[in-house]
PDB file of all heavy atoms in Angstrom:
ATOM      1  N   VAL A1374     110.208 179.538 157.723  1.00  0.00           N
ATOM      2  CA  VAL A1374     110.224 180.732 158.582  1.00  0.00           C
ATOM      3  C   VAL A1374     109.178 181.718 158.140  1.00  0.00           C
ATOM      4  O   VAL A1374     108.363 182.177 158.907  1.00  0.00           O
ATOM      5  CB  VAL A1374     111.618 181.333 158.798  1.00  0.00           C
ATOM      6  CG1 VAL A1374     111.632 182.611 159.471  1.00  0.00           C
ATOM      7  CG2 VAL A1374     112.624 180.382 159.314  1.00  0.00           C
ATOM      8  N   GLU A1375     109.093 182.078 156.894  1.00  0.00           N
ATOM      9  CA  GLU A1375     108.189 182.969 156.303  1.00  0.00           C
ATOM     10  C   GLU A1375     106.736 182.383 156.467  1.00  0.00           C
ATOM     11  O   GLU A1375     105.753 183.107 156.751  1.00  0.00           O
ATOM     12  CB  GLU A1375     108.461 183.295 154.861  1.00  0.00           C
ATOM     13  CG  GLU A1375     109.611 184.286 154.661  1.00  0.00           C
ATOM     14  CD  GLU A1375     109.775 184.637 153.212  1.00  0.00           C
ATOM     15  OE1 GLU A1375     108.813 184.484 152.352  1.00  0.00           O
ATOM     16  OE2 GLU A1375     110.792 185.347 152.887  1.00  0.00           O
ATOM     17  N   ALA A1376     106.555 181.076 156.214  1.00  0.00           N
ATOM     18  CA  ALA A1376     105.296 180.357 156.363  1.00  0.00           C
ATOM     19  C   ALA A1376     104.799 180.585 157.699  1.00  0.00           C
ATOM     20  O   ALA A1376     103.643 180.898 157.974  1.00  0.00           O
ATOM     21  CB  ALA A1376     105.378 178.944 155.995  1.00  0.00           C
ATOM     22  N   LEU A1377     105.651 180.427 158.741  1.00  0.00           N
ATOM     23  CA  LEU A1377     105.286 180.546 160.167  1.00  0.00           C
ATOM     24  C   LEU A1377     104.833 181.919 160.409  1.00  0.00           C
ATOM     25  O   LEU A1377     103.786 182.173 161.036  1.00  0.00           O
ATOM     26  CB  LEU A1377     106.492 180.127 161.024  1.00  0.00           C
ATOM     27  CG  LEU A1377     106.301 180.364 162.493  1.00  0.00           C
ATOM     28  CD1 LEU A1377     105.269 179.529 163.089  1.00  0.00           C
ATOM     29  CD2 LEU A1377     107.590 180.143 163.241  1.00  0.00           C
ATOM     30  N   GLU A1378     105.592 182.875 159.952  1.00  0.00           N
ATOM     31  CA  GLU A1378     105.273 184.305 160.253  1.00  0.00           C
ATOM     32  C   GLU A1378     103.935 184.684 159.506  1.00  0.00           C
ATOM     33  O   GLU A1378     103.102 185.417 160.171  1.00  0.00           O
ATOM     34  CB  GLU A1378     106.389 185.208 159.527  1.00  0.00           C
ATOM     35  CG  GLU A1378     107.681 185.246 160.351  1.00  0.00           C
ATOM     36  CD  GLU A1378     108.775 185.923 159.629  1.00  0.00           C
ATOM     37  OE1 GLU A1378     108.542 186.442 158.483  1.00  0.00           O
ATOM     38  OE2 GLU A1378     109.931 185.973 160.205  1.00  0.00           O
ATOM     39  N   MET A1379     103.711 184.221 158.374  1.00  0.00           N
ATOM     40  CA  MET A1379     102.432 184.461 157.699  1.00  0.00           C
ATOM     41  C   MET A1379     101.176 183.841 158.441  1.00  0.00           C
ATOM     42  O   MET A1379     100.144 184.567 158.662  1.00  0.00           O
ATOM     43  CB  MET A1379     102.365 183.836 156.252  1.00  0.00           C
ATOM     44  CG  MET A1379     103.326 184.670 155.269  1.00  0.00           C
ATOM     45  SD  MET A1379     103.387 183.874 153.677  1.00  0.00           S
ATOM     46  CE  MET A1379     104.462 184.926 152.851  1.00  0.00           C
ATOM     47  N   LEU A1380     101.335 182.619 158.818  1.00  0.00           N
ATOM     48  CA  LEU A1380     100.200 181.962 159.570  1.00  0.00           C
ATOM     49  C   LEU A1380     100.056 182.586 160.943  1.00  0.00           C
ATOM     50  O   LEU A1380      98.909 182.694 161.395  1.00  0.00           O
ATOM     51  CB  LEU A1380     100.476 180.458 159.586  1.00  0.00           C
ATOM     52  CG  LEU A1380     100.266 179.788 158.290  1.00  0.00           C
ATOM     53  CD1 LEU A1380     100.779 178.374 158.278  1.00  0.00           C
ATOM     54  CD2 LEU A1380      98.776 179.783 157.834  1.00  0.00           C
ATOM     55  N   GLN A1381     101.059 183.029 161.549  1.00  0.00           N
ATOM     56  CA  GLN A1381     100.915 183.747 162.850  1.00  0.00           C
ATOM     57  C   GLN A1381     100.084 185.108 162.661  1.00  0.00           C
ATOM     58  O   GLN A1381      99.325 185.448 163.443  1.00  0.00           O
ATOM     59  CB  GLN A1381     102.340 183.994 163.531  1.00  0.00           C
ATOM     60  CG  GLN A1381     102.853 182.660 164.094  1.00  0.00           C
ATOM     61  CD  GLN A1381     104.292 182.938 164.610  1.00  0.00           C
ATOM     62  OE1 GLN A1381     105.031 183.703 164.099  1.00  0.00           O
ATOM     63  NE2 GLN A1381     104.654 182.120 165.596  1.00  0.00           N
ATOM     64  N   LYS A1382     100.440 185.751 161.534  1.00  0.00           N
ATOM     65  CA  LYS A1382      99.696 187.019 161.260  1.00  0.00           C
ATOM     66  C   LYS A1382      98.201 186.705 160.969  1.00  0.00           C
ATOM     67  O   LYS A1382      97.350 187.540 161.447  1.00  0.00           O
ATOM     68  CB  LYS A1382     100.242 187.643 159.971  1.00  0.00           C
ATOM     69  CG  LYS A1382     101.398 188.523 160.121  1.00  0.00           C
ATOM     70  CD  LYS A1382     101.778 189.155 158.821  1.00  0.00           C
ATOM     71  CE  LYS A1382     103.159 189.910 158.879  1.00  0.00           C
ATOM     72  NZ  LYS A1382     103.506 190.557 157.582  1.00  0.00           N
ATOM     73  N   LEU A1383      97.849 185.645 160.363  1.00  0.00           N
ATOM     74  CA  LEU A1383      96.496 185.294 159.974  1.00  0.00           C
ATOM     75  C   LEU A1383      95.754 184.778 161.120  1.00  0.00           C
ATOM     76  O   LEU A1383      94.547 184.766 161.207  1.00  0.00           O
ATOM     77  CB  LEU A1383      96.471 184.325 158.819  1.00  0.00           C
ATOM     78  CG  LEU A1383      97.088 184.837 157.487  1.00  0.00           C
ATOM     79  CD1 LEU A1383      97.098 183.731 156.447  1.00  0.00           C
ATOM     80  CD2 LEU A1383      96.279 186.061 156.989  1.00  0.00           C
ATOM     81  N   SER A1384      96.427 184.080 162.078  1.00  0.00           N
ATOM     82  CA  SER A1384      95.826 183.500 163.252  1.00  0.00           C
ATOM     83  C   SER A1384      94.822 184.401 164.006  1.00  0.00           C
ATOM     84  O   SER A1384      95.183 185.528 164.358  1.00  0.00           O
ATOM     85  CB  SER A1384      96.907 183.019 164.209  1.00  0.00           C
ATOM     86  OG  SER A1384      96.402 182.451 165.374  1.00  0.00           O
ATOM     87  N   GLY A1385      93.689 184.014 164.234  1.00  0.00           N
ATOM     88  CA  GLY A1385      92.635 184.652 164.927  1.00  0.00           C
ATOM     89  C   GLY A1385      92.079 185.848 164.177  1.00  0.00           C
ATOM     90  O   GLY A1385      91.352 186.689 164.842  1.00  0.00           O
ATOM     91  N   LYS A1386      92.389 185.983 162.990  1.00  0.00           N
ATOM     92  CA  LYS A1386      91.943 187.214 162.201  1.00  0.00           C
ATOM     93  C   LYS A1386      91.100 186.826 160.989  1.00  0.00           C
ATOM     94  O   LYS A1386      91.241 185.643 160.488  1.00  0.00           O
ATOM     95  CB  LYS A1386      93.114 188.062 161.744  1.00  0.00           C
ATOM     96  CG  LYS A1386      93.882 188.663 163.008  1.00  0.00           C
ATOM     97  CD  LYS A1386      94.991 189.616 162.481  1.00  0.00           C
ATOM     98  CE  LYS A1386      95.840 190.082 163.668  1.00  0.00           C
ATOM     99  NZ  LYS A1386      96.696 189.042 164.064  1.00  0.00           N
ATOM    100  N   GLU A1387      90.321 187.809 160.497  1.00  0.00           N
ATOM    101  CA  GLU A1387      89.648 187.697 159.225  1.00  0.00           C
ATOM    102  C   GLU A1387      90.519 188.278 158.138  1.00  0.00           C
ATOM    103  O   GLU A1387      91.113 189.365 158.394  1.00  0.00           O
ATOM    104  CB  GLU A1387      88.310 188.298 159.150  1.00  0.00           C
ATOM    105  CG  GLU A1387      87.594 188.110 157.930  1.00  0.00           C
ATOM    106  CD  GLU A1387      86.191 188.826 157.855  1.00  0.00           C
ATOM    107  OE1 GLU A1387      86.179 189.944 157.724  1.00  0.00           O
ATOM    108  OE2 GLU A1387      85.183 188.047 158.079  1.00  0.00           O
ATOM    109  N   HIS A1388      90.622 187.620 156.962  1.00  0.00           N
ATOM    110  CA  HIS A1388      91.330 188.207 155.917  1.00  0.00           C
ATOM    111  C   HIS A1388      90.567 187.952 154.616  1.00  0.00           C
ATOM    112  O   HIS A1388      89.603 187.278 154.613  1.00  0.00           O
ATOM    113  CB  HIS A1388      92.782 187.710 155.726  1.00  0.00           C
ATOM    114  CG  HIS A1388      92.801 186.153 155.494  1.00  0.00           C
ATOM    115  ND1 HIS A1388      92.594 185.230 156.525  1.00  0.00           N
ATOM    116  CD2 HIS A1388      92.880 185.487 154.365  1.00  0.00           C
ATOM    117  CE1 HIS A1388      92.727 184.016 156.018  1.00  0.00           C
ATOM    118  NE2 HIS A1388      92.845 184.108 154.722  1.00  0.00           N
ATOM    119  N   GLN A1389      91.037 188.589 153.498  1.00  0.00           N
ATOM    120  CA  GLN A1389      90.412 188.336 152.208  1.00  0.00           C
ATOM    121  C   GLN A1389      91.277 187.619 151.330  1.00  0.00           C
ATOM    122  O   GLN A1389      92.548 187.798 151.278  1.00  0.00           O
ATOM    123  CB  GLN A1389      90.037 189.678 151.544  1.00  0.00           C
ATOM    124  CG  GLN A1389      88.919 190.522 152.239  1.00  0.00           C
ATOM    125  CD  GLN A1389      89.366 191.120 153.578  1.00  0.00           C
ATOM    126  OE1 GLN A1389      90.392 191.714 153.637  1.00  0.00           O
ATOM    127  NE2 GLN A1389      88.588 190.905 154.561  1.00  0.00           N
ATOM    128  N   VAL A1390      90.744 186.666 150.562  1.00  0.00           N
ATOM    129  CA  VAL A1390      91.389 186.036 149.483  1.00  0.00           C
ATOM    130  C   VAL A1390      90.722 186.477 148.191  1.00  0.00           C
ATOM    131  O   VAL A1390      89.481 186.378 148.024  1.00  0.00           O
ATOM    132  CB  VAL A1390      91.207 184.532 149.596  1.00  0.00           C
ATOM    133  CG1 VAL A1390      91.978 183.795 148.396  1.00  0.00           C
ATOM    134  CG2 VAL A1390      91.831 183.999 150.946  1.00  0.00           C
ATOM    135  N   ILE A1391      91.626 187.172 147.334  1.00  0.00           N
ATOM    136  CA  ILE A1391      91.045 187.723 146.142  1.00  0.00           C
ATOM    137  C   ILE A1391      91.799 187.098 144.893  1.00  0.00           C
ATOM    138  O   ILE A1391      93.021 187.074 144.801  1.00  0.00           O
ATOM    139  CB  ILE A1391      91.265 189.174 146.095  1.00  0.00           C
ATOM    140  CG1 ILE A1391      90.638 189.835 147.390  1.00  0.00           C
ATOM    141  CG2 ILE A1391      90.625 189.877 144.810  1.00  0.00           C
ATOM    142  CD1 ILE A1391      91.304 191.129 147.766  1.00  0.00           C
ATOM    143  N   SER A1392      90.964 186.563 143.982  1.00  0.00           N
ATOM    144  CA  SER A1392      91.574 185.941 142.810  1.00  0.00           C
ATOM    145  C   SER A1392      91.225 186.810 141.616  1.00  0.00           C
ATOM    146  O   SER A1392      90.052 187.190 141.477  1.00  0.00           O
ATOM    147  CB  SER A1392      91.045 184.509 142.550  1.00  0.00           C
ATOM    148  OG  SER A1392      91.512 183.598 143.523  1.00  0.00           O
ATOM    149  N   GLY A1393      92.148 187.102 140.766  1.00  0.00           N
ATOM    150  CA  GLY A1393      91.969 187.663 139.439  1.00  0.00           C
ATOM    151  C   GLY A1393      92.043 186.640 138.385  1.00  0.00           C
ATOM    152  O   GLY A1393      92.948 185.778 138.460  1.00  0.00           O
ATOM    153  N   VAL A1394      91.157 186.692 137.414  1.00  0.00           N
ATOM    154  CA  VAL A1394      91.178 185.764 136.291  1.00  0.00           C
ATOM    155  C   VAL A1394      91.103 186.544 135.014  1.00  0.00           C
ATOM    156  O   VAL A1394      90.384 187.585 134.971  1.00  0.00           O
ATOM    157  CB  VAL A1394      90.016 184.716 136.378  1.00  0.00           C
ATOM    158  CG1 VAL A1394      90.066 183.775 135.274  1.00  0.00           C
ATOM    159  CG2 VAL A1394      89.970 184.097 137.698  1.00  0.00           C
ATOM    160  N   CYS A1395      91.899 186.166 134.063  1.00  0.00           N
ATOM    161  CA  CYS A1395      91.861 186.756 132.794  1.00  0.00           C
ATOM    162  C   CYS A1395      91.588 185.692 131.636  1.00  0.00           C
ATOM    163  O   CYS A1395      92.196 184.657 131.645  1.00  0.00           O
ATOM    164  CB  CYS A1395      93.231 187.469 132.508  1.00  0.00           C
ATOM    165  SG  CYS A1395      93.411 188.352 130.995  1.00  0.00           S
TER     166      CYS A1395
END
Side-chain angles (χ1 to χ4, degrees):
V1374 173
E1375 283 188 12
L1377 175 66
E1378 289 169 0
M1379 288 177 181
L1380 288 168
Q1381 286 173 332
K1382 275 185 189 176
L1383 297 174
S1384 176
K1386 296 184 185 81
E1387 182 180 80
H1388 62 276
Q1389 289 74 48
V1390 177
I1391 306 155
S1392 292
V1394 181
C1395 182

